[in-house]
Amino acid sequence: MAANMYRVGDYVYFENSSSNPLLIRRIEELNKTANGNVEAKVVCFYRRRDISSTLIALADKHARELEEEMENPEMADLPEKQKHQLRHRELFLSRQLESLPATHIRGKCCVTLLNETEALKSYLDREDAFFYSLVYDPQQKTLLADKGEIRVGNKYQADITDLLKEGEEDGRDLEKLEEKVWDPNSSLTEKQIDQFLVVARSVGTFARALDCSSSVRQPSLHMSAAAASRDITLFHAMDTLHTTGYDMTRAIAALVPQGGPVLCRDEMEEWSASEANLFEEALEKYGKDFTDIQQDFLPWKSLTSIIEYYYMWKTTDRYVQQKRLKAAEAESKLKQVYIPNYNKPNPNQLSNNVKPALVNGAAGAGVPGPPGSGQTPGLGRACESCYTSSSYQWYSWGPPNMQCRLCASCWTYWKKYGGLKMPTRLDGERPGPNRNNMSPHSLPLRHSGSPKFAVKTRQAFYLQTTGLTRMTRRLCQDIIRPRYLARHPYLPVNTAAIKAECALRLPDRPKKPLPLKPVERKPLESVVRYLEAHPCPAKPDPPARGGSISTGSLTPIKSSPILNNGSPTILGKRTYEQHNGLDGSKSKALAPQWDIMAKRMSEAARPSASLQDEVHELD
């Protein structure tokens, strides 16, 4: 019963998609709608998979700096698997609020602010435990350090001097360490001090009557008197007394100098009504985050002015009224809500009674193979995370054309932590629904559907095959069928099954390397002899002008536009007529290759057998 009760302040899982990982939120309010449903106003937390790779690099840099400050080599000693899983426990706090149906809650979790008193490995030992240290702004796409850091450690401790022994003198110059601002043993009595403070308030009220801006803000006499009775006036009066040596005559004369009475105003009096409304609105949105309040609402105010105004604003009646209103609203709102366990089957759940779809490289083929391939049926695909082949329940995972699946344990891990248990070789890979834009051979696709590498440009693309992959192509040639796959590039390939089969066949293969096919290359002398026997034909002379004009036009003949502009080959430098021939006669200037061919065909004196021998020498 207690596990299904959710209260304000709890960290919970929300489900917005059957295939995506669960959302992590903190409940701020529980409201009942008009139709009787319960909505939760929540604070959003983001995972690493939800932010850009640029911000992830900044987060990793911040983690390294934090590790250096803590002087704790814990992360360096962790195995690669634990480092991979620890990244799934990192979250990013945001100031974004949203409302979600309370029926989408799928359980509780724990989110804490990371500090140097906790070991990172402790989060892996606890179920549903997460940490955060940075604040993410979804609108501005920025990461900032959280202001609520708990300052624990050696660098935050005060340096306490040793206690002086009996009769030992303090060698420090006390005048440089402190300043005396009031002497309680002065010659003035308490009654005389109170009388001087009344005089100071009267002078402050008269100064506000002379000031034009003050008369507009406090048009009535009692408002001016109340403003003159604030602490800023009393502090100035007591400072004046101490400065004049507690001489009442000199102190009163200092309150009214040659230019007129002294006017002392604090932040409450300096701020206008519109600025006060902006401050209350910002305080409602950001809380006591005065830096954000200054940046987004009051950039013309200093940070010191905003903080001073805040503590003075807390002494006003308006603060008391708002506090009472909030308390009344909190009483009318829900404190907790009961959400029963969610027992409906997941749409990604695969039925155990139906054989899973079999693909190339697995046990059989869901895609028809070529005749005579000789494939034998088997057990199907393994788990994409832990590579197990047995589980009481399977779940489809990733794009449908990939036909990947996860076991029950890995599916629960994927939903809670947003990743796979085992690390992948591709550091920037985001598995699951984020790979919807990939082809079956793991090539990212453009919107047009053609494969293209998403990070690097086409000129910088480089695909390198490992030695184990080349060996697998030879050992598992009957399973992979490279020629068939090359002609059907969109057929899925079960790499997990191929790896398992290669591991079984590899020990049985002889250690002797496979013989390589010798390649015979012709010597350079034969190539030179052929080029000498076939010199480049001379360029034919252009047709002479004058006499009769055969074309019937005096304008120069324009060459046809060049086709095939996308290919920088020699075909792109020829015209359409040169590719396909011409109907009828054509001048030698436009088709010199036909003259060269006719010239070679007409050389009857040259034996054809010798020509064929020379051609075969270059093959």
Side-chain angles (χ1 to χ4, degrees):
M1 181 71 178
N4 296 95
M5 296 297 297
Y6 298 93
R7 299 173 177 83
V8 175
D10 287 346
Y11 295 91
V12 295
Y13 293 114
F14 272 91
E15 185 173 30
N16 67 338
S17 173
S18 60
S19 58
N20 289 340
L22 299 172
L23 306 177
I24 298 178
R25 301 290 186 262
R26 185 181 69 225
I27 301 178
E28 291 292 305
E29 295 178 6
L30 291 171
N31 303 317
K32 199 169 185 178
T33 60
N35 54 6
N37 297 328
V38 178
E39 281 191 352
K41 188 177 181 180
V42 296
V43 175
C44 301
F45 285 84
Y46 290 87
R47 304 179 190 265
R48 290 173 65 93
R49 69 192 305 273
D50 299 328
I51 65 177
S52 63
S53 57
T54 306
L55 295 181
I56 288 178
L58 291 177
D60 293 339
K61 181 181 179 182
H62 177 268
R64 288 192 296 268
E65 293 176 354
L66 185 63
E67 183 181 353
E68 292 175 358
E69 290 180 3
M70 295 167 57
E71 297 180 356
N72 186 7
E74 181 187 4
M75 279 294 292
D77 299 337
L78 288 178
E80 190 64 31
K81 180 181 177 181
Q82 292 186 355
K83 288 183 181 179
H84 171 75
Q85 294 181 358
L86 195 60
R87 295 187 186 101
H88 299 156
R89 304 299 184 101
E90 183 180 10
L91 300 178
F92 300 95
L93 173 65
S94 73
R95 308 297 183 190
Q96 181 178 350
L97 297 175
E98 62 182 9
S99 296
L100 296 173
T103 54
H104 289 187
I105 296 178
R106 296 295 180 261
K108 296 181 181 180
C109 59
C110 178
V111 182
T112 57
L113 177 65
L114 179 66
N115 60 74
E116 60 186 31
T117 61
E118 288 182 311
L120 291 174
K121 193 177 179 182
S122 63
Y123 291 96
L124 297 178
D125 300 333
R126 290 179 291 164
E127 197 73 20
D128 304 319
F130 300 88
F131 66 90
Y132 76 94
S133 61
L134 299 174
V135 179
Y136 172 61
D137 190 346
Q139 281 76 31
Q140 302 294 332
K141 305 296 182 184
T142 56
L143 278 179
L144 298 174
D146 187 66
K147 304 297 189 305
E149 180 183 1
I150 302 175
R151 297 188 174 183
V152 179
N154 296 329
K155 61 181 180 179
Y156 298 115
Q157 303 302 318
D159 296 330
I160 303 175
T161 58
D162 297 334
L163 184 64
L164 296 177
K165 297 180 181 180
E166 188 71 24
E168 185 180 358
E169 295 183 358
D170 192 353
R172 298 174 298 174
D173 188 0
L174 299 182
E175 294 182 356
K176 296 181 179 179
L177 299 178
E178 55 192 17
E179 181 182 357
K180 191 175 182 179
V181 294
W182 180 256
D183 186 7
N185 301 320
S186 64
S187 58
L188 297 178
T189 62
E190 293 292 332
K191 183 178 180 181
Q192 289 176 327
I193 295 175
D194 292 339
Q195 289 175 346
F196 179 76
L197 294 180
V198 171
V199 172
R201 294 192 191 100
S202 303
V203 172
T205 305
F206 179 66
R208 282 168 176 77
L210 298 178
D211 184 64
C212 297
S213 61
S214 298
S215 60
V216 173
R217 294 177 183 176
Q218 293 99 16
S220 60
L221 178 61
H222 72 277
M223 291 179 64
S224 298
S229 301
R230 297 187 63 82
D231 291 341
I232 187 68
T233 304
L234 302 182
F235 290 158
H236 174 69
M238 297 176 74
D239 289 340
T240 304
L241 266 180
H242 181 73
T243 304
T244 57
Y246 300 94
D247 186 351
M248 293 286 290
T249 306
R250 292 173 56 196
I252 293 175
L255 291 178
V256 187
Q258 186 69 28
V262 176
L263 176 60
C264 301
R265 289 190 292 198
D266 56 11
E267 294 297 334
M268 287 296 297
E269 208 171 344
E270 292 286 350
W271 287 43
S272 63
S274 59
E275 291 174 340
N277 293 332
L278 279 176
F279 175 79
E280 293 177 1
E281 181 183 349
L283 197 67
E284 183 72 21
K285 181 178 181 181
Y286 293 122
K288 292 194 296 183
D289 196 342
F290 300 114
T291 304
D292 291 344
I293 291 175
Q294 180 194 25
Q295 291 178 353
D296 296 346
F297 284 86
L298 299 165
W300 59 90
K301 294 287 185 180
S302 65
L303 194 61
T304 305
S305 174
I306 294 175
I307 296 174
E308 185 178 348
Y309 178 82
Y310 167 74
Y311 286 103
M312 291 183 177
W313 172 78
K314 291 183 69 174
T315 63
T316 61
D317 294 337
R318 184 169 179 80
Y319 169 76
V320 178
Q321 293 175 2
Q322 288 189 2
K323 196 172 182 180
R324 290 174 181 172
L325 288 175
K326 288 184 178 180
E329 290 178 1
E331 287 294 330
S332 62
K333 290 181 180 179
L334 297 175
K335 299 294 187 303
Q336 59 185 10
V337 63
Y338 175 80
I339 305 295
N341 292 328
Y342 186 78
N343 296 322
K344 293 183 180 180
N346 193 291
N348 295 73
Q349 183 175 330
L350 299 177
S351 176
N352 290 332
N353 299 328
V354 182
K355 292 184 179 181
L358 304 179
V359 296
N360 180 289
V367 183
S373 59
Q375 288 187 345
T376 57
L379 296 177
R381 305 196 64 152
C383 175
E384 292 291 330
S385 178
C386 62
Y387 305 113
T388 183
S389 57
S390 61
S391 177
Y392 68 91
Q393 184 60 57
W394 293 94
Y395 296 86
S396 62
W397 177 80
N401 62 330
M402 296 287 290
Q403 299 186 12
C404 303
R405 63 178 186 170
L406 296 177
C407 63
S409 174
C410 295
W411 176 258
T412 304
Y413 186 92
W414 158 256
K415 293 291 287 184
K416 285 186 175 182
Y417 304 114
L420 300 183
K421 289 183 179 180
M422 305 299 293
T424 57
R425 290 187 302 168
L426 297 178
D427 192 22
E429 179 184 0
R430 296 187 179 182
N434 281 357
R435 296 197 312 187
N436 283 334
N437 60 337
M438 286 192 175
S439 69
H441 296 296
S442 301
L443 281 178
L445 299 180
R446 296 179 292 183
H447 297 292
S448 60
S450 60
K452 181 181 179 182
F453 197 72
V455 179
K456 295 184 178 180
T457 60
R458 183 181 300 177
Q459 289 78 8
F461 178 79
Y462 178 64
L463 182 62
Q464 183 179 12
T465 308
T466 62
L468 182 60
T469 304
R470 293 194 296 269
M471 189 185 305
T472 306
R473 291 174 181 171
R474 296 290 186 93
L475 295 179
C476 306
Q477 209 165 17
D478 55 331
I479 300 179
I480 301 177
R481 298 175 295 155
R483 186 184 299 273
Y484 181 74
L485 288 179
R487 296 171 180 174
H488 301 78
Y490 290 98
L491 291 183
V493 178
N494 190 351
T495 56
I498 294 174
K499 288 180 180 178
E501 185 66 23
C502 178
L504 294 176
R505 297 185 182 184
L506 189 59
D508 299 336
R509 297 292 295 183
K511 302 299 182 181
K512 183 179 179 181
L514 296 175
L516 299 177
K517 182 179 179 181
V519 179
E520 296 182 1
R521 300 183 182 276
K522 297 296 181 180
L524 183 62
E525 290 78 4
S526 60
V527 178
V528 173
R529 286 197 303 268
Y530 180 82
L531 293 177
E532 291 177 351
H534 299 80
C536 181
K539 185 176 180 181
D541 297 331
R545 295 187 180 182
S548 62
I549 300 176
S550 59
T551 58
S553 176
L554 296 178
T555 59
I557 300 176
K558 296 182 180 180
S559 60
S560 302
I562 297 177
L563 302 180
N564 193 17
N565 292 328
S567 175
T569 61
I570 192 171
L571 298 179
K573 299 178 181 180
R574 297 177 181 176
T575 61
Y576 177 81
E577 292 81 0
Q578 291 172 332
H579 283 311
N580 302 282
L582 297 172
D583 296 333
S585 61
K586 192 69 176 177
S587 64
K588 293 183 180 181
L590 294 179
Q593 67 272 23
W594 303 113
D595 297 337
I596 298 172
M597 188 177 297
K599 183 179 179 181
R600 290 186 177 179
M601 294 295 294
S602 63
E603 292 180 353
R606 185 173 182 177
S608 60
S610 61
L611 179 61
Q612 292 178 358
D613 293 340
E614 292 184 1
V615 171
H616 285 304
E617 285 181 0
L618 291 176
D619 293 339

